[in-house]
Amino acid sequence: MRVLGIETSCDETGVAIYDSKEGLLAHTLYSQVSTHAEFGGVVPELASRDHVRKTIPLIEQAMSEARCTKKDIHGVAYTSGPGLVGALLVGAAIGRSIGFAWQVPTIGVHHMEGHLLAPMLESNPPAFPFVALLVSGGHTQLVKVEKLGSYEILGESLDDAVGEAFDKTAKMLGLGYPGGAALAALAEKGNSDRFHFPRPMIDRPGLEFSFSGLKTFAINTAHQYGLDEETRADIARAFQDAVVETLVIKCRRALHATSLSRLVVAGGVGANQMLRQKLHDMVKKENAEVYFPRQEFCTDNGAMIAYVGCQRLLAGQRGDLSIRVFPRWPLDKIC
Ligand code: KG4
Ligand code: ZN
């Protein structure tokens, strides 16, 4: 089965074509980051308008790269939530319309399920069951994944998502938006012995996270020591050290709690090199394995939506003709 996937939940327009036998045939992406950067965050109306402009050209480009015509496509998948309502509606309307015109089934896909299963696009995909660490701009969750569609949330952030904490701290350090990757680059130059930030909630049992205190800690440190170049790098380093160590501790705890030995990491923060390295070190000691999507599929993309859509269509699921989206949609409420 060959599926066209469309992602428009936030500030990236992603389109891909996935074939159940041949794998990923094409993927195209347009990032709106520069549009939103001057506003310091995503402006929903501008995001919707850009999706309107870009989605169909990207579909044409992906179809041409995959050397497909409409007759080669057996289904259309689009992100139906969670995300920005206007942005989601663009992808949903286009996806449903193409399905209707080409007379193929369509299906709405949960954005976070896309992230969760993105490592399945790699040459050495994880087998079920596994523990997944989902770390994006809006989510920080540990999830027990039994099989496609069976997701038990083991723990999540009680306040800021980890990507959000990266972005807010980066903004305070004058790194623009979204600043996660820039903060990580600055941290490379920092001294990890100068400041020690707390590791939130590691003394308590359980798998919950809290990251808003770390951001405040970074602000207070900046007030006390100023923001010269060296101090900015040292703050970035201390912040990243604390986030990464906290995530690693909780991942180890989740593997123990579930008696599982496979860990999957997904979402934008999964692109963080230090996190990847420290998780590799941890699983080695635990006799476990860790799986990451390639860097470009850590952040939002159409490939993960095409992949999940294909699995669900193969399982016989079908959407109807209605165009509905779900801005808030907990991962464990997928059916
Ligand atoms: O999954 P994603 O593309 O979008 C959401 O669905 O939220 O994740 C974006 C988040 C942003 O907060 C961004 O700053 C963060 O991922 N991010 C990083 C890195 N690259 C992206 N955070 C830390 N280190 C990175 N290298
Ligand atoms: Zn995402």
Side-chain angles (χ1 to χ4, degrees):
M1 173 178 273
R2 195 169 284 188
V3 174
L4 170 69
I6 303 169
E7 155 64 34
T8 64
S9 67
C10 189
D11 58 349
E12 251 114 25
T13 318
V15 172
I17 295 165
Y18 179 84
D19 184 290
S20 53
K21 290 210 176 72
E22 295 171 44
L24 191 63
L25 300 182
H27 65 99
T28 54
L29 187 83
Y30 173 76
S31 172
Q32 306 176 353
V33 161
S34 59
T35 306
H36 303 291
E38 62 177 298
F39 302 101
V42 178
V43 184
E45 176 60 18
L46 294 183
S48 310
R49 289 185 210 171
D50 246 3
H51 290 308
V52 169
R53 271 192 289 270
K54 294 290 179 193
T55 307
I56 290 178
L58 287 179
I59 292 172
E60 285 168 344
Q61 190 187 332
M63 292 287 284
S64 138
E65 278 174 23
R67 296 176 199 283
C68 282
T69 67
K70 60 185 182 185
K71 290 195 192 68
D72 303 313
I73 299 294
H74 307 120
V76 181
Y78 58 88
T79 306
S80 53
L84 302 170
V85 67
L88 289 165
L89 278 168
V90 176
I94 293 175
R96 283 278 201 247
S97 307
I98 291 179
F100 182 72
W102 294 358
Q103 299 192 330
V104 293
T106 57
I107 186 129
V109 169
H110 193 291
H111 179 80
M112 298 313 292
E113 185 179 29
H115 277 305
L116 199 69
L117 299 182
M120 296 299 189
L121 291 160
E122 302 307 318
S123 51
N124 173 30
F128 295 118
F130 54 76
V131 170
L133 173 70
L134 277 177
V135 274
S136 74
H139 291 79
T140 305
Q141 290 179 325
L142 277 161
V143 185
K144 184 178 175 190
V145 180
E146 290 282 359
K147 58 181 181 352
L148 181 79
S150 168
Y151 310 121
E152 181 194 342
I153 296 177
L154 302 169
E156 58 192 330
S157 179
L158 303 176
D159 43 56
D160 289 356
V162 63
E164 188 181 356
F166 260 99
D167 291 341
K168 287 178 176 169
T169 305
K171 201 169 180 177
M172 187 274 289
L173 294 172
L175 296 171
Y177 180 88
L183 189 151
L186 184 63
E188 294 271 305
K189 299 182 206 144
N191 171 2
S192 69
D193 296 327
R194 175 139 174 237
F195 302 120
H196 182 83
F197 282 29
R199 275 56 175 157
M201 302 189 64
I202 56 165
D203 300 335
R204 292 190 223 170
L207 296 165
E208 250 67 61
F209 301 91
S210 165
F211 289 109
S212 68
L214 271 185
K215 173 198 67 197
T216 311
F217 206 89
I219 293 169
N220 292 343
T221 309
H223 281 157
Q224 201 176 343
Y225 294 90
L227 276 176
D228 61 85
E229 209 176 320
E230 198 180 327
T231 306
R232 283 169 70 241
D234 294 343
I235 290 175
R237 180 61 190 257
F239 173 84
Q240 181 173 263
D241 283 350
V243 169
V244 168
E245 193 181 337
T246 305
L247 291 173
V248 171
I249 290 169
K250 295 283 164 112
C251 285
R252 185 194 300 124
R253 215 179 263 181
L255 289 173
H256 289 177
T258 54
S259 304
L260 293 175
S261 61
R262 280 181 293 269
L263 175 69
V264 161
V265 182
V269 184
N272 186 281
Q273 283 304 333
M274 185 177 175
L275 177 65
R276 291 168 96 102
Q277 186 55 51
K278 297 283 178 188
L279 285 173
H280 272 297
D281 297 346
M282 183 273 282
V283 295
K284 208 167 167 193
K285 284 195 199 123
E286 298 292 322
N287 229 346
E289 282 165 300
V290 65
Y291 299 82
F292 298 94
R294 71 192 82 161
Q295 294 266 348
E296 65 181 324
F297 293 160
C298 282
T299 43
D300 292 349
N301 64 84
M304 64 187 194
I305 303 304
Y307 174 80
V308 172
C310 184
Q311 304 313 309
R312 290 190 167 271
L313 289 168
L314 282 172
Q317 295 186 14
R318 299 285 183 268
D320 57 25
L321 282 177
S322 62
I323 295 169
R324 283 200 301 158
V325 297
F326 308 93
R328 288 179 182 276
W329 184 7
L331 184 61
D332 52 2
K333 297 285 180 299
I334 304 179
C335 48

